[in-house]
Every structure is written in structure tokens, then in C-alpha cells.
Amino acid sequence: MDFKKIFSSALNVHFHDHMSLDQIEALIETPKNPLHGDLAFPCFQLAKALRKNPAEIAQKAALELQGSLIHQANAVGPYLNVFFSKEAASSHILEDVLKQNILYGTNQSGQNKTALLDYSSPNIAKPFSMGHLRSTVIGNALANLAEACGYQTVRINYIGDWGTQFGKLITAYKKWGAPSEIEKQPIQELFKLYVRFHEEEKNDTELTAEARRSFKKLEDGDQEAEKLWKWFRDESLTEFQRIYKLLNISFDLYQGEAFYNDKMENAVSALRDKGLLSDSEGAEVVYLDNGLPPCLIKKSDGATLYATRDIAAALYRKTHYQFDHALYIVGQEQSVHFKQVKQVIKKLGCHWANDLFHIPFGLYLKDGQKMSTRKGKVILLEEVVLEAIKLAEINIDNKNPDLENKKEIAKAVGVGAILFHDLKNDRMNSIEFSLKDMLTFEGETGPYLQYTNARAFSILRKSSAEPASGIGLSDSASWEVLKSINMYPAKILQAYELHSPAILAKHLLETSKNFNKYYSKVHILENDDLLPSRLALVKTVTITLSNGMKILGMEAPEKM
């Protein structure tokens, strides 16, 4: 039920000569204090047209306002505040949510459109660290939001499986690697070699040149280099798949940087044909506008770069997937890079470059510093996930030792704690890594949402009556819950349009808090005429929280 549309339609009867319906709706606000009204309209912009002060306009409209479900209208200074009929509106809300059930909150804004999302993108031969968590979970949530908005999605994991780091790794392996050790623990041992290379490089400048030569051999198809690269890649993908399974995250495609190797020359040729390539000390660059530095396409030795592959990838993806928009969920430190890539594609005459969006985010920090794989300063994601699951299992043993399927529920709670800890934060904020904060099972946490949802399911199990929306609820506690539930579909749309899963996460917290207040004030299972309606409210809470948590990538256990 769209309360803003109901209110704006009622206002339009009075103000249509001076303001459009859309303009009226855009000005409507939600008072911070619910005692002041369900919605409010500021009358300032009408003052000049009506030649009256805003307070007079609000007072006159309050006396004359009529509209479906509007119970009361009050003028408070220049604001016109309205209260809706709780009983009538609640009946409509309950009926709507119960009818839609698992589809509640979805919309068709993206119908017949395709959204392509590029996210996670861990690097081959490096451990899957906390540094990759943000791209992974934000990207997964945005893909789920896109599907809730009716889009077809293409989920691509753009694995970092090419580039100069492989020249470094091949060089390090040939100098210090022990095949038997690598076979036992491939990722751990390869990571040690990568860190050692950067330590040794400080005192041996020839190492850098040697690594460049190794990568050039790889690009030129050297058999030994290709064999090592493929080995590193296969071992890493096996490791990554295990961690994604732990997080319940999947992809449609694993198209790493190497996938585009045979597609880059077409992209370079297109730039050359357009006369966009310029020589810069033997390298090939595209000069850009708006103060951006030149985009380096080929080094002086002919080697390609990250930008070359991203340009080739965008051209290929548009041709093959015909996306309506593409989201690159990559850290904010890559903002200039994506501006360069987008402008190069525009210069090629591709109007769809405007449909490419970089979705930046802050970092996980350790002691205020960025985690660095070069320095070996990482926190392994798998270790954090397993620790969270272990802690969840201990909590369950303490609070509900007879719970069935304890291990499955502990996994759902532990993983949910990690995902929600990330997603409740505005994506542009950096997050100081704290295992203690992440695994707190009280307050504004994932386990709090899951427990609230399980509590609601428990209430439904205790009653033999069936939820029904026939009689509306008029008490203030139920009204606050239902207003939150009613706003859920709008929050889904807003979260996707603003590329901000935090909007949904925070709304689910608000809904949970309102329901827990309701639970503490109202005897829900009291056997009277309103019992079916109260159970309907509880049912709508389970629908909203379960649907919302699923979009965030969390599981919603019915028992905890």
C-alpha cells in the first residue's frame, strides 16, 4: 500500500492548479516522531502561488482534506500532518503481504532488462582474504536486489588470473619453490613465494626485470610458463569454490582476465582505427578529457595492461549479453581506472558506455591500515567464517542444547553474522576488522535478525488458529510494525537504485526492533476476535524478514 500516493492524490484535489502530482509526492515527508503523524506535507512552496503564508495553507487544507484511508489531518505551523486509519490500512497491508508471500517486495522495474554484475574477483595463487569479502557480499546482494526488481542477471567472477604478478610468481617459484611443498598446500606455499619475492626485490632490482621477462614469456605462449600458470590457476579455483560454497554464493561465469587475451587485439585495433592511440615513450596511450591521466593501453615492450583487458571485456560483454547496465563492484581506489576505461569506450563511439557503473566501497582495515598481500598482512576469510560458525555452535549449546540440526543452524548464524556485519555499513565506509564486533550476537547484528524471525515462527507454531487479515488492528504497537513492513517494497527498489544494500539491512533492523517492542507489549496469543489478525501480523514479519535476509545472502532459520 503506497501511503504517499494516497496522501498526494488527496492533496492534488486542492493544489493541482499550482503543483503537479509528482511534485506534491516528492515533497511528502515522514515525521521522525510517529506522534506527529504518519506523513507530513510542507506548504512553503505554495505560499507565493496562493498568496498566503504556509501556516494558513496548511490550516485550510487540514479542514478540507479528504482521502481514502485518511483518518485525521492536522496543521502544525507550515506543515500539514496526516494520520491514516490504522484499522482499515492494517487490514489492507496484512492481506497484501499474505497474498504475495515469497514474492512480497519484488517489483518489475527491471522487466525485460539485463543487469551484468562483475564482483568478488580474487587473485590466483593468493589466499582468499577478508579484503575480498566486501566485493563478494556487496555484489551478491546487489545481484539479488536486481532479481527482486525483475532484472535478468549475469553474475561474473572476474578472476585475477593474468598480469605482471604472474611473472613475479613464476620467477619466485623457479628460484625458491619446492614442488613437494606446493603439492601439499598450494595456495599457502605460493603465497609465501609471492611475499618473499617482494621482500627480496627490495635489495635486488634485477628481480623486477626478470619478473617482467617471465610475464612476457607467458603472454607469448611459452609452454613452461603456461603450464605453471595453469597449475596455479586450477589449484586456486578449487580453493575459491570451497569458500564460496561456505558463504552460499555462486556465479554464472568465471571469466578471468585471461579469458580476454584473444580479444584484446580487436580492442586495440578498434582504438587504432579510430585514431585514438598515441605514442608515449614507446608505449601506446589514449589521451583523455576532464583532467584524467592518459589511459595506458600497451607498454613499450608490447605487454597489455589491466585497462586493456577491461576495455576488451566490456566490448565482449555488451556483444554477448546485451546488458542494459553493468555494475563493477570494485574498491574505491580503482575509481580513476574506471573513469578512464569508461571514457575510452565512449571515444570509440559506444553510447552504452553510460550504462557502465563503478560501484566503489571502502576497505577492511587492520589497525587502521589497508591489508596487503605483498607484505603478507592478511586475515584469511575462511578462518573468520569457521570461527564464527564455532562461536554460533557454542551459543546454541548454551541456550538451546536440544535444538535439531544444530550444525546447520550454527553455519547459518555464523555466516549470517559476517555478511550482515559488512552489509549494514554504508559501502563507502571503511571497516576496522574486529572479530569481536563481527561475531557479537546481540544488538544490530545478523543473529539478531535471525532470532527475531525465529521468534515469530515460534509464535505461529504455538497457536492452532490460522493467520487472517479480515479484521484490522488499531493499536499503536502493531501500527509501527505494519508501517515498517509496508515500506519494505520501496526499500528494495531504493536499495538497488542507489546500489546500497545497507538501506535494506537497516530497514530489516528497524522492522525487527518494532516487532520486538510489539512482542513485549501485546499478548499476541490471547484468544479473542483479533487473534487471527495478530497472527497475520506475525506471519507478515516472517515473510518480510525471510525475504529480506535471503536478498542479503543470509539464511533464515525457523528455529534457533
Side-chain angles (χ1 to χ4, degrees):
M1 175 175 290
D2 195 329
F3 288 136
K4 280 192 175 183
K5 287 196 182 299
I6 293 169
F7 187 22
S8 59
S9 295
L11 290 170
N12 192 50
V13 173
H14 299 279
F15 303 136
H16 64 272
D17 290 336
H18 310 288
M19 193 175 281
S20 72
L21 183 62
D22 287 343
Q23 288 174 321
I24 291 171
E25 187 173 341
L27 290 173
I28 291 173
E29 303 173 2
T30 301
K32 291 182 179 179
N33 187 338
L35 295 177
H36 295 166
D38 296 320
L39 293 174
F41 178 76
C43 297
F44 302 103
Q45 291 190 24
L46 289 165
K48 186 176 180 180
L50 295 174
R51 296 182 181 180
K52 294 180 180 178
N53 69 53
E56 285 183 82
I57 297 169
Q59 193 169 23
K60 186 173 186 298
L63 294 172
E64 300 174 354
L65 194 69
Q66 292 181 350
S68 172
L69 300 179
I70 294 176
H71 171 66
Q72 182 181 340
N74 298 328
V76 181
Y79 286 88
L80 174 61
N81 296 347
V82 294
F83 294 86
F84 291 93
S85 168
K86 294 182 180 66
E87 189 171 338
S90 67
S91 180
H92 282 289
I93 294 168
L94 292 171
E95 182 180 8
D96 187 36
V97 181
L98 292 176
K99 183 178 179 181
Q100 294 190 56
N101 204 325
I102 61 172
L103 294 178
Y104 183 61
T106 61
N107 64 77
Q108 293 303 310
S109 61
Q111 188 174 20
N112 300 320
K113 295 179 181 179
T114 297
L116 185 147
L117 300 97
D118 173 329
Y119 60 102
S120 193
S121 309
N123 292 316
I124 294 301
K126 295 179 186 176
F128 202 122
S129 71
M130 284 297 299
H132 292 104
L133 180 65
R134 299 221 71 191
S135 174
T136 305
V137 301
I138 293 170
N140 185 62
L142 288 175
N144 292 339
L145 281 164
E147 290 178 356
C149 292
Y151 287 90
Q152 292 291 320
T153 59
V154 181
R155 302 169 185 239
I156 297 180
N157 195 337
Y158 188 54
I159 297 290
D161 62 357
W162 203 251
T164 55
Q165 72 267 26
F166 288 97
K168 296 174 182 179
L169 194 58
I170 290 169
T171 299
Y173 172 74
K174 291 172 75 173
K175 283 184 174 295
W176 311 301
S180 59
E181 292 300 314
I182 291 173
E183 285 172 6
K184 291 177 188 174
Q185 293 185 307
I187 303 304
Q188 292 90 329
E189 291 302 318
L190 290 172
F191 180 50
K192 287 178 185 177
L193 290 175
Y194 184 76
V195 173
R196 181 173 177 180
F197 178 92
H198 286 281
E199 288 297 322
E200 299 277 353
E201 186 184 30
K202 294 174 184 176
N203 302 313
D204 185 356
T205 54
E206 174 56 27
L207 268 179
T208 306
E210 191 174 340
R212 288 198 186 109
R213 290 193 294 270
S214 293
F215 179 58
K216 188 65 171 64
K217 282 184 179 181
L218 181 60
E219 282 207 308
D220 292 341
D222 178 82
Q223 285 189 353
E224 182 190 21
E226 276 196 344
K227 184 179 179 181
L228 288 173
W229 170 81
K230 188 176 185 303
W231 179 36
F232 299 160
R233 186 181 191 274
D234 289 348
E235 292 290 351
S236 297
L237 284 177
T238 300
E239 183 90 350
F240 296 159
Q241 290 279 11
R242 192 182 76 256
I243 294 169
Y244 288 129
K245 185 178 180 181
L246 199 58
L247 295 172
N248 299 317
I249 288 174
S250 60
F251 298 87
D252 297 313
L253 300 162
Y254 285 82
Q255 287 181 348
E257 296 176 56
F259 178 81
Y260 300 98
N261 282 346
D262 61 352
K263 301 163 183 62
M264 284 191 286
E265 197 50 49
N266 287 340
V268 174
S269 296
L271 292 169
R272 189 173 289 116
D273 293 344
K274 281 276 188 179
L276 295 171
L277 290 179
S278 300
D279 179 79
S280 177
E281 299 180 1
E284 291 186 284
V285 304
V286 175
Y287 287 103
L288 303 175
D289 310 319
N290 304 322
L292 285 173
C295 185
L296 184 57
I297 303 298
K298 274 193 172 183
K299 292 182 181 179
S300 56
D301 64 1
T304 55
L305 294 103
Y306 190 54
T308 324
R309 290 187 281 279
D310 265 355
I311 293 163
L315 296 171
Y316 174 87
R317 291 168 178 180
K318 183 62 178 178
T319 300
H320 282 75
Y321 307 116
Q322 291 298 312
F323 57 77
D324 292 275
H325 60 250
L327 307 184
Y328 294 82
I329 299 92
V330 184
Q332 58 187 334
E333 67 272 15
Q334 294 294 327
S335 292
V336 171
H337 164 78
F338 282 105
K339 287 177 183 176
Q340 290 176 307
V341 168
K342 189 169 182 174
Q343 195 173 123
V344 170
I345 294 171
K346 275 186 180 180
K347 285 180 175 289
L348 277 172
C350 303
H351 65 279
W352 51 266
N354 290 323
D355 299 323
L356 304 177
F357 299 96
H358 174 213
I359 311 301
F361 53 84
L363 303 168
Y364 267 113
L365 306 176
K366 180 62 176 171
D367 300 324
Q369 300 295 315
K370 177 183 176 181
M371 298 176 189
S372 171
T373 51
R374 291 188 179 189
K375 298 176 182 177
K377 187 180 179 182
V378 296
I379 297 171
L380 300 182
L381 176 58
E382 186 176 20
E383 291 180 1
V384 175
V385 174
L386 293 176
E387 181 65 23
I389 294 171
K390 181 181 176 182
L391 181 59
E393 198 166 352
I394 291 170
N395 282 351
I396 291 170
D397 280 334
N398 290 337
K399 295 179 180 178
N400 193 0
D402 298 325
L403 181 66
E404 296 177 5
N405 304 316
K406 283 194 291 186
K407 288 192 178 297
E408 290 86 348
I409 293 172
K411 178 179 178 290
V413 173
V415 171
I418 292 170
L419 300 185
F420 195 78
H421 178 76
D422 190 303
L423 294 173
K424 73 177 181 180
N425 287 282
D426 185 285
R427 62 176 166 79
M428 290 305 294
N429 293 339
S430 290
I431 303 173
E432 178 68 29
F433 176 78
S434 168
L435 196 59
K436 181 182 177 183
D437 290 345
M438 188 175 290
L439 303 181
T440 297
F441 285 52
E442 297 175 359
E444 297 188 343
T445 66
Y448 173 74
L449 292 187
Q450 291 169 317
Y451 179 72
T452 301
N453 193 48
R455 166 180 276 176
F457 271 111
S458 175
I459 293 168
L460 294 174
R461 286 194 297 270
K462 289 176 181 177
S463 177
S464 59
E466 288 295 318
S469 59
I471 303 175
L473 299 168
S474 58
D475 61 286
S476 59
S478 67
W479 184 234
E480 291 307 308
V481 179
L482 289 169
K483 281 197 296 183
S484 290
I485 289 170
N486 189 59
M487 288 174 66
Y488 173 74
K491 294 296 181 179
I492 293 289
L493 186 60
Q494 184 185 20
Y496 188 65
E497 288 180 342
L498 297 179
H499 306 133
S500 176
I503 291 171
L504 173 59
K506 290 172 182 175
H507 184 69
L508 295 179
L509 279 174
E510 180 186 349
T511 303
S512 295
K513 289 175 183 176
N514 285 334
F515 175 68
N516 285 320
K517 288 178 185 175
Y518 175 75
Y519 175 83
S520 68
K521 292 180 179 179
V522 176
H523 298 293
I524 298 173
L525 295 177
E526 185 175 347
N527 193 16
D528 59 15
D529 291 344
L530 290 177
L531 176 59
S533 296
R534 289 195 299 271
L535 291 174
L537 181 147
V538 176
K539 179 68 174 175
T540 63
V541 169
T542 66
I543 290 170
T544 304
L545 293 183
S546 296
N547 290 357
M549 283 190 279
K550 182 179 179 182
I551 287 173
L552 294 180
M554 301 167 61
E555 292 185 61
E558 296 185 11
K559 294 181 180 180
M560 277 179 68

